[in-house]
Amino acid sequence: MEKPPTFEELLASARHSAIHLEMRDGYMESDPDYVSWREGHRPKDLTADPDFQNWLTWVREASDRGVAIRRARVFSVPESNYIRFEHYYSDANVEAGEQIRWLPRRQATDIAFPGNDFWVFDNDLVLVLHFTGDGESAEDWMELTKDPKIRDLCVSAFEAVWERAIPHAEYKITS
């Protein structure tokens, strides 16, 4: 059986676009960066973390190739600690070439969503992300599909969110 591609390989193979929709109020609360942030540590140099630096490198490389990387987040207000943490770190993502927008959940009631977070590469390949109830990565948490119904639902949901969401530079944490 062929080994599935890594996320790095998926982003590296994107030719023109990579869109990502996040719909949870918390993820991987055991992440050392999040734990440190929650305890009050606010690093000035966010790129010092090797894993985050890898992510920023992948984003820069894709952006430099002309790939538009857009991330939208749908979240509850007042924001959870984890959403505040993501907002803090998002400046570095944007600087690396990601476009990020924020949509409070109350403004998304009329949008049809898939049941899971996802990425769509080049409006073709969908990477469905599965999490446990507490936001940790589930076993076999990455699922790839080219099913046109799933792709169309994901792209439609993302674009509906993107259209009404607030650009990162303009969104201010409320709590």
Coordinates of all heavy atoms in Angstrom, one line a residue, residues 66-135:
G66 N 3.5 31.4 -6.1 CA 2.2 31.9 -6.6 C 1.0 31.2 -6.0 O -0.1 31.5 -6.5
V67 N 1.1 30.4 -5.1 CA 0.0 29.7 -4.5 C -0.7 30.6 -3.5 O 0.0 31.1 -2.6 CB 0.4 28.4 -3.8 CG1 -0.8 27.7 -3.1 CG2 1.1 27.4 -4.8
A68 N -2.0 30.8 -3.6 CA -2.7 31.7 -2.7 C -3.2 30.7 -1.6 O -3.9 29.8 -1.8 CB -4.0 32.3 -3.4
I69 N -2.7 31.1 -0.4 CA -3.0 30.3 0.8 C -4.0 31.1 1.7 O -3.6 32.2 2.2 CB -1.8 29.9 1.6 CG1 -0.8 29.1 0.7 CG2 -2.2 29.1 2.9 CD1 0.6 28.9 1.4
R70 N -5.2 30.6 1.8 CA -6.2 31.3 2.6 C -6.8 30.4 3.7 O -7.1 29.3 3.4 CB -7.4 31.8 1.7 CG -7.0 32.7 0.6 CD -8.1 33.2 -0.3 NE -8.8 32.1 -1.0 CZ -10.1 32.1 -1.4 NH1 -10.9 33.2 -1.1 NH2 -10.6 31.1 -2.1
R71 N -6.8 31.0 4.9 CA -7.4 30.3 6.0 C -8.5 31.1 6.6 O -8.4 32.3 6.8 CB -6.3 30.1 7.1 CG -6.7 29.5 8.4 CD -5.7 29.6 9.5 NE -4.4 29.2 9.1 CZ -3.7 28.1 9.5 NH1 -4.4 27.3 10.4 NH2 -2.5 27.8 9.1
A72 N -9.6 30.5 6.9 CA -10.7 31.1 7.6 C -11.1 30.4 8.8 O -11.0 29.1 8.9 CB -11.9 31.2 6.6
R73 N -11.4 31.1 9.9 CA -11.8 30.5 11.1 C -13.2 31.0 11.5 O -13.5 32.1 11.5 CB -10.8 31.0 12.2 CG -9.4 30.4 12.0 CD -8.5 30.8 13.2 NE -7.2 30.1 13.0 CZ -6.0 30.7 12.9 NH1 -6.0 32.1 12.9 NH2 -4.9 30.0 12.8
V74 N -14.0 30.0 11.9 CA -15.3 30.2 12.4 C -15.2 29.9 13.9 O -14.8 28.8 14.2 CB -16.4 29.3 11.7 CG1 -17.8 29.5 12.3 CG2 -16.4 29.7 10.2
F75 N -15.6 30.8 14.8 CA -15.4 30.6 16.2 C -16.5 31.3 17.0 O -17.2 32.1 16.5 CB -14.0 31.2 16.6 CG -13.9 32.6 16.2 CD1 -14.2 33.6 17.2 CD2 -13.6 33.0 14.9 CE1 -14.2 34.9 16.8 CE2 -13.6 34.4 14.6 CZ -13.9 35.3 15.5
S76 N -16.5 30.9 18.3 CA -17.5 31.4 19.2 C -16.9 32.7 19.9 O -15.7 32.8 20.0 CB -17.8 30.4 20.3 OG -18.3 29.2 19.7
V77 N -17.9 33.6 20.3 CA -17.5 34.8 21.0 C -18.3 34.8 22.3 O -19.5 34.5 22.3 CB -17.9 36.0 20.1 CG1 -17.6 37.3 20.9 CG2 -17.1 36.0 18.8
P78 N -17.7 35.1 23.4 CA -16.3 35.5 23.6 C -15.3 34.3 23.2 O -15.7 33.1 23.3 CB -16.1 35.9 25.0 CG -17.2 35.2 25.8 CD -18.3 35.0 24.8
E79 N -14.2 34.7 22.7 CA -13.2 33.7 22.2 C -12.7 32.8 23.3 O -12.4 33.3 24.4 CB -12.0 34.5 21.5 CG -12.4 35.3 20.3 CD -12.8 36.7 20.7 OE1 -13.0 37.0 21.9 OE2 -13.0 37.5 19.7
S80 N -12.4 31.6 22.9 CA -11.8 30.7 23.8 C -10.3 31.1 24.0 O -9.8 31.8 23.1 CB -11.9 29.2 23.3 OG -11.1 29.1 22.1
N81 N -9.6 30.5 25.0 CA -8.2 30.8 25.1 C -7.5 30.3 23.9 O -6.5 31.0 23.4 CB -7.6 30.1 26.3 CG -7.9 30.8 27.6 OD1 -8.1 32.0 27.6 ND2 -7.9 30.1 28.7
Y82 N -7.9 29.2 23.3 CA -7.2 28.7 22.1 C -7.3 29.6 20.9 O -6.4 29.9 20.2 CB -7.6 27.3 21.8 CG -6.6 26.6 20.9 CD1 -5.5 25.9 21.4 CD2 -6.6 26.8 19.5 CE1 -4.5 25.4 20.6 CE2 -5.6 26.3 18.7 CZ -4.6 25.6 19.2 OH -3.6 25.1 18.4
I83 N -8.5 30.2 20.7 CA -8.7 31.2 19.6 C -7.8 32.4 19.9 O -7.2 32.9 18.9 CB -10.2 31.5 19.4 CG1 -11.0 30.3 19.0 CG2 -10.4 32.7 18.5 CD1 -10.5 29.7 17.6
R84 N -7.7 32.9 21.1 CA -6.9 34.0 21.4 C -5.4 33.7 21.1 O -4.7 34.5 20.6 CB -7.1 34.5 22.8 CG -8.4 35.1 23.1 CD -8.5 35.8 24.4 NE -8.3 35.0 25.5 CZ -9.3 34.5 26.2 NH1 -10.6 34.7 25.9 NH2 -9.1 33.7 27.3
F85 N -5.0 32.4 21.4 CA -3.6 32.0 21.1 C -3.4 32.0 19.6 O -2.4 32.5 19.1 CB -3.5 30.6 21.7 CG -2.3 29.8 21.2 CD1 -1.0 30.0 21.5 CD2 -2.6 28.7 20.3 CE1 0.0 29.3 21.1 CE2 -1.5 27.9 19.8 CZ -0.2 28.2 20.2
E86 N -4.4 31.4 18.8 CA -4.2 31.4 17.4 C -4.1 32.8 16.8 O -3.4 33.1 15.9 CB -5.4 30.7 16.7 CG -5.3 29.2 16.8 CD -6.4 28.5 16.0 OE1 -7.5 29.0 15.9 OE2 -6.1 27.4 15.4
H87 N -4.9 33.7 17.4 CA -4.9 35.1 16.9 C -3.5 35.7 17.1 O -3.0 36.4 16.2 CB -6.0 35.9 17.6 CG -6.2 37.3 17.0 ND1 -5.5 38.4 17.4 CD2 -7.0 37.7 16.0 CE1 -5.8 39.4 16.7 NE2 -6.7 39.1 15.8
Y88 N -2.9 35.4 18.3 CA -1.6 35.9 18.6 C -0.6 35.4 17.6 O 0.3 36.2 17.1 CB -1.2 35.5 20.0 CG 0.1 36.0 20.5 CD1 0.3 37.3 21.0 CD2 1.2 35.2 20.5 CE1 1.5 37.8 21.4 CE2 2.5 35.6 20.9 CZ 2.6 36.9 21.4 OH 3.8 37.4 21.8
Y89 N -0.6 34.2 17.3 CA 0.4 33.6 16.4 C 0.1 33.9 14.9 O 1.0 33.7 14.1 CB 0.4 32.1 16.6 CG 1.4 31.6 17.6 CD1 1.1 31.8 19.0 CD2 2.6 31.1 17.2 CE1 2.0 31.4 19.9 CE2 3.6 30.7 18.2 CZ 3.3 30.9 19.5 OH 4.2 30.5 20.5
S90 N -1.1 34.3 14.6 CA -1.5 34.5 13.2 C -0.7 35.7 12.5 O -0.6 35.6 11.2 CB -3.0 34.8 13.0 OG -3.6 33.5 13.3
D91 N -0.2 36.6 13.2 CA 0.6 37.7 12.6 C 1.8 37.1 11.8 O 2.1 37.5 10.7 CB 1.2 38.7 13.6 CG 0.1 39.6 14.2 OD1 -1.0 39.7 13.6 OD2 0.3 40.1 15.3
A92 N 2.4 36.1 12.4 CA 3.6 35.4 11.7 C 3.1 34.7 10.5 O 3.8 34.7 9.5 CB 4.3 34.5 12.7
N93 N 2.0 34.0 10.6 CA 1.4 33.3 9.4 C 1.2 34.3 8.2 O 1.5 34.0 7.1 CB 0.1 32.6 9.7 CG 0.3 31.5 10.7 OD1 0.8 31.6 11.8 ND2 -0.2 30.3 10.3
V94 N 0.6 35.4 8.6 CA 0.3 36.4 7.5 C 1.6 37.0 6.9 O 1.7 37.1 5.7 CB -0.6 37.6 8.1 CG1 -0.7 38.7 7.2 CG2 -2.0 37.0 8.5
E95 N 2.5 37.2 7.8 CA 3.8 37.7 7.3 C 4.5 36.7 6.3 O 5.2 37.1 5.4 CB 4.8 38.0 8.5 CG 6.0 38.7 8.1 CD 6.9 39.1 9.3 OE1 6.3 39.7 10.2 OE2 8.1 38.8 9.2
A96 N 4.3 35.4 6.6 CA 4.8 34.4 5.7 C 4.1 34.2 4.4 O 4.6 33.6 3.5 CB 4.9 33.0 6.4
G97 N 2.9 34.8 4.3 CA 2.1 34.7 3.0 C 0.7 34.2 3.1 O 0.0 34.2 2.1
E98 N 0.3 33.8 4.3 CA -1.1 33.3 4.4 C -2.0 34.5 4.5 O -1.7 35.5 5.1 CB -1.2 32.5 5.7 CG -1.4 31.0 5.5 CD -1.8 30.3 6.9 OE1 -0.9 30.1 7.7 OE2 -2.9 30.0 7.0
Q99 N -3.2 34.3 3.9 CA -4.3 35.3 4.2 C -5.2 34.6 5.2 O -5.6 33.5 5.0 CB -5.0 35.6 2.9 CG -4.2 36.1 1.8 CD -4.9 36.1 0.5 OE1 -6.0 36.7 0.4 NE2 -4.4 35.5 -0.5
I100 N -5.6 35.4 6.2 CA -6.4 34.8 7.3 C -7.6 35.7 7.6 O -7.4 37.0 7.6 CB -5.6 34.6 8.6 CG1 -4.4 33.6 8.3 CG2 -6.5 34.1 9.7 CD1 -3.5 33.4 9.5
R101 N -8.8 35.1 7.7 CA -9.9 35.9 8.1 C -10.7 35.2 9.2 O -10.6 34.0 9.4 CB -10.9 36.0 6.9 CG -10.3 36.9 5.8 CD -11.3 37.3 4.8 NE -10.7 38.1 3.7 CZ -11.3 38.6 2.7 NH1 -12.6 38.3 2.5 NH2 -10.7 39.3 1.8
W102 N -11.4 36.0 10.0 CA -12.1 35.5 11.2 C -13.6 35.8 11.1 O -14.0 36.9 10.7 CB -11.6 36.3 12.4 CG -10.1 36.2 12.6 CD1 -9.1 36.9 11.9 CD2 -9.4 35.3 13.4 NE1 -7.9 36.4 12.3 CE2 -8.0 35.5 13.3 CE3 -9.9 34.3 14.4 CZ2 -7.1 34.7 14.0 CZ3 -8.9 33.6 15.1 CH2 -7.6 33.8 14.9
L103 N -14.4 34.8 11.4 CA -15.9 34.9 11.3 C -16.5 34.4 12.6 O -16.5 33.2 12.9 CB -16.5 34.2 10.1 CG -18.0 34.4 9.9 CD1 -18.3 35.8 9.6 CD2 -18.5 33.5 8.9
P104 N -17.1 35.3 13.4 CA -17.8 34.9 14.6 C -18.9 33.9 14.2 O -19.6 34.2 13.2 CB -18.3 36.2 15.2 CG -17.3 37.2 14.8 CD -17.0 36.8 13.4
R105 N -19.1 32.8 15.0 CA -20.0 31.8 14.6 C -21.5 32.3 14.5 O -22.2 31.8 13.6 CB -20.0 30.7 15.8 CG -20.7 29.4 15.4 CD -20.5 28.4 16.5 NE -19.1 28.2 16.9 CZ -18.1 27.6 16.2 NH1 -18.4 27.0 15.1 NH2 -16.9 27.5 16.7
R106 N -21.9 33.3 15.2 CA -23.2 33.9 15.1 C -23.5 34.4 13.7 O -24.6 34.5 13.3 CB -23.5 34.9 16.1 CG -23.7 34.4 17.5 CD -24.0 35.5 18.5 NE -24.4 35.0 19.8 CZ -25.6 34.8 20.2 NH1 -26.6 35.2 19.4 NH2 -25.8 34.4 21.4
Q107 N -22.4 34.8 13.0 CA -22.6 35.3 11.6 C -22.6 34.2 10.6 O -22.6 34.5 9.4 CB -21.5 36.4 11.4 CG -21.6 37.6 12.3 CD -20.4 38.5 12.1 OE1 -19.9 38.6 11.0 NE2 -20.1 39.2 13.1
A108 N -22.5 33.0 11.0 CA -22.4 31.8 10.0 C -23.6 30.9 10.1 O -23.5 29.8 9.5 CB -21.1 31.1 10.4
T109 N -24.6 31.3 10.8 CA -25.8 30.4 11.0 C -26.4 29.8 9.7 O -26.8 28.7 9.6 CB -26.9 31.1 11.8 OG1 -26.3 31.4 13.1 CG2 -28.0 30.1 12.1
D110 N -26.4 30.7 8.6 CA -27.0 30.3 7.4 C -26.1 29.6 6.4 O -26.4 29.4 5.2 CB -27.7 31.5 6.7 CG -26.7 32.6 6.4 OD1 -25.6 32.6 6.9 OD2 -27.0 33.4 5.5
I111 N -24.8 29.3 6.8 CA -23.9 28.6 5.9 C -23.9 27.1 6.1 O -23.8 26.7 7.3 CB -22.4 29.2 6.2 CG1 -22.4 30.7 5.9 CG2 -21.4 28.4 5.3 CD1 -21.1 31.3 6.2
A112 N -24.0 26.4 5.0 CA -23.9 24.9 5.1 C -22.5 24.5 5.2 O -21.7 24.8 4.4 CB -24.6 24.3 3.9
F113 N -22.2 23.8 6.3 CA -20.8 23.3 6.6 C -20.6 21.8 6.5 O -21.5 21.1 6.9 CB -20.3 23.7 8.0 CG -20.1 25.2 8.2 CD1 -21.0 26.0 8.9 CD2 -19.0 25.8 7.6 CE1 -20.8 27.3 9.1 CE2 -18.8 27.2 7.8 CZ -19.7 27.9 8.5
P114 N -19.5 21.4 6.1 CA -19.1 19.9 6.2 C -18.9 19.7 7.7 O -18.8 20.6 8.5 CB -17.9 19.8 5.4 CG -17.3 21.1 5.3 CD -18.4 22.1 5.4
G115 N -18.9 18.4 8.1 CA -18.8 18.1 9.5 C -17.4 18.2 10.1 O -17.2 18.0 11.3
N116 N -16.4 18.5 9.3 CA -15.0 18.5 9.7 C -14.2 19.7 9.1 O -14.6 20.2 8.1 CB -14.3 17.2 9.3 CG -14.9 16.0 10.0 OD1 -14.8 15.8 11.2 ND2 -15.6 15.2 9.2
D117 N -13.2 20.1 9.8 CA -12.2 21.0 9.2 C -11.6 20.4 8.0 O -11.6 19.2 7.9 CB -11.1 21.4 10.2 CG -11.5 22.1 11.4 OD1 -12.7 22.4 11.6 OD2 -10.6 22.5 12.2
F118 N -11.1 21.2 7.1 CA -10.5 20.7 5.9 C -9.5 21.7 5.2 O -9.5 22.9 5.6 CB -11.6 20.4 4.9 CG -12.4 21.6 4.5 CD1 -12.0 22.5 3.5 CD2 -13.6 21.9 5.2 CE1 -12.8 23.6 3.2 CE2 -14.4 23.0 4.9 CZ -13.9 23.9 3.9
W119 N -8.8 21.2 4.3 CA -8.0 21.9 3.3 C -8.5 21.5 1.9 O -8.9 20.3 1.8 CB -6.5 21.5 3.4 CG -5.8 22.2 4.5 CD1 -5.6 21.7 5.8 CD2 -5.0 23.4 4.5 NE1 -4.9 22.5 6.5 CE2 -4.5 23.6 5.7 CE3 -4.8 24.3 3.4 CZ2 -3.6 24.7 6.0 CZ3 -4.0 25.4 3.7 CH2 -3.4 25.6 5.0
V120 N -8.5 22.4 1.0 CA -8.7 22.0 -0.4 C -7.6 22.6 -1.2 O -7.3 23.8 -1.1 CB -10.1 22.6 -1.0 CG1 -10.2 22.2 -2.5 CG2 -11.2 22.1 -0.1
F121 N -6.9 21.7 -2.0 CA -5.8 22.1 -2.8 C -6.2 22.2 -4.3 O -6.7 21.3 -4.8 CB -4.6 21.1 -2.6 CG -4.1 21.0 -1.2 CD1 -4.7 20.0 -0.4 CD2 -3.2 21.9 -0.7 CE1 -4.2 19.9 0.9 CE2 -2.8 21.8 0.6 CZ -3.3 20.8 1.4
D122 N -5.9 23.4 -4.9 CA -6.2 23.6 -6.3 C -7.6 23.3 -6.7 O -7.9 22.8 -7.8 CB -5.2 22.8 -7.2 CG -3.8 23.2 -7.0 OD1 -3.6 24.5 -6.7 OD2 -2.9 22.4 -7.1
N123 N -8.6 23.5 -5.8 CA -10.0 23.2 -6.0 C -10.2 21.8 -6.5 O -11.1 21.5 -7.3 CB -10.6 24.2 -7.0 CG -10.8 25.6 -6.4 OD1 -11.1 25.7 -5.2 ND2 -10.6 26.6 -7.1
D124 N -9.4 20.9 -6.0 CA -9.5 19.5 -6.5 C -9.4 18.5 -5.4 O -10.3 17.7 -5.1 CB -8.3 19.3 -7.5 CG -8.3 17.9 -8.0 OD1 -9.4 17.3 -8.4 OD2 -7.2 17.3 -8.1
L125 N -8.3 18.5 -4.7 CA -8.0 17.5 -3.6 C -8.4 18.0 -2.3 O -8.0 19.1 -1.9 CB -6.5 17.1 -3.6 CG -6.1 16.1 -2.6 CD1 -6.8 14.7 -2.9 CD2 -4.6 16.0 -2.7
V126 N -9.2 17.3 -1.5 CA -9.7 17.7 -0.2 C -9.0 16.9 0.8 O -8.9 15.6 0.7 CB -11.2 17.5 -0.1 CG1 -11.7 17.9 1.3 CG2 -12.0 18.3 -1.1
L127 N -8.4 17.6 1.8 CA -7.8 16.9 3.0 C -8.8 17.2 4.2 O -8.9 18.3 4.6 CB -6.5 17.5 3.3 CG -5.8 17.0 4.6 CD1 -5.5 15.5 4.6 CD2 -4.5 17.8 4.8
V128 N -9.5 16.1 4.6 CA -10.4 16.2 5.7 C -9.6 15.9 7.0 O -8.9 15.0 7.0 CB -11.6 15.2 5.6 CG1 -12.5 15.3 6.7 CG2 -12.3 15.5 4.2
L129 N -9.8 16.8 8.0 CA -9.1 16.6 9.3 C -10.1 16.2 10.3 O -11.1 16.8 10.6 CB -8.5 18.0 9.6 CG -7.6 18.6 8.6 CD1 -7.1 20.0 9.0 CD2 -6.4 17.7 8.3
H130 N -9.7 15.1 11.0 CA -10.5 14.5 12.1 C -9.9 14.7 13.4 O -8.7 14.5 13.6 CB -10.7 13.0 11.8 CG -11.4 12.7 10.6 ND1 -12.7 12.9 10.4 CD2 -10.9 12.3 9.4 CE1 -13.1 12.5 9.2 NE2 -12.0 12.2 8.5
F131 N -10.7 15.2 14.4 CA -10.2 15.5 15.7 C -11.0 14.8 16.7 O -12.2 14.5 16.5 CB -10.2 17.0 16.0 CG -9.3 17.8 15.2 CD1 -9.7 18.4 14.0 CD2 -7.9 18.0 15.5 CE1 -8.8 19.1 13.2 CE2 -7.1 18.7 14.7 CZ -7.5 19.3 13.6
T132 N -10.5 14.5 17.9 CA -11.2 13.9 19.0 C -12.1 15.1 19.6 O -11.9 16.2 19.3 CB -10.3 13.3 20.1 OG1 -9.5 14.4 20.6 CG2 -9.4 12.3 19.5
G133 N -12.9 14.7 20.6 CA -13.8 15.7 21.2 C -13.0 16.8 22.0 O -13.5 17.9 22.1
D134 N -11.8 16.4 22.4 CA -11.0 17.4 23.1 C -10.0 18.1 22.2 O -9.1 18.8 22.7 CB -10.3 16.8 24.4 CG -9.4 15.7 24.0 OD1 -9.2 15.4 22.8 OD2 -8.8 15.1 24.9
G135 N -10.1 18.0 20.9 CA -9.3 18.7 20.0 C -8.0 18.1 19.6 O -7.2 18.7 18.9

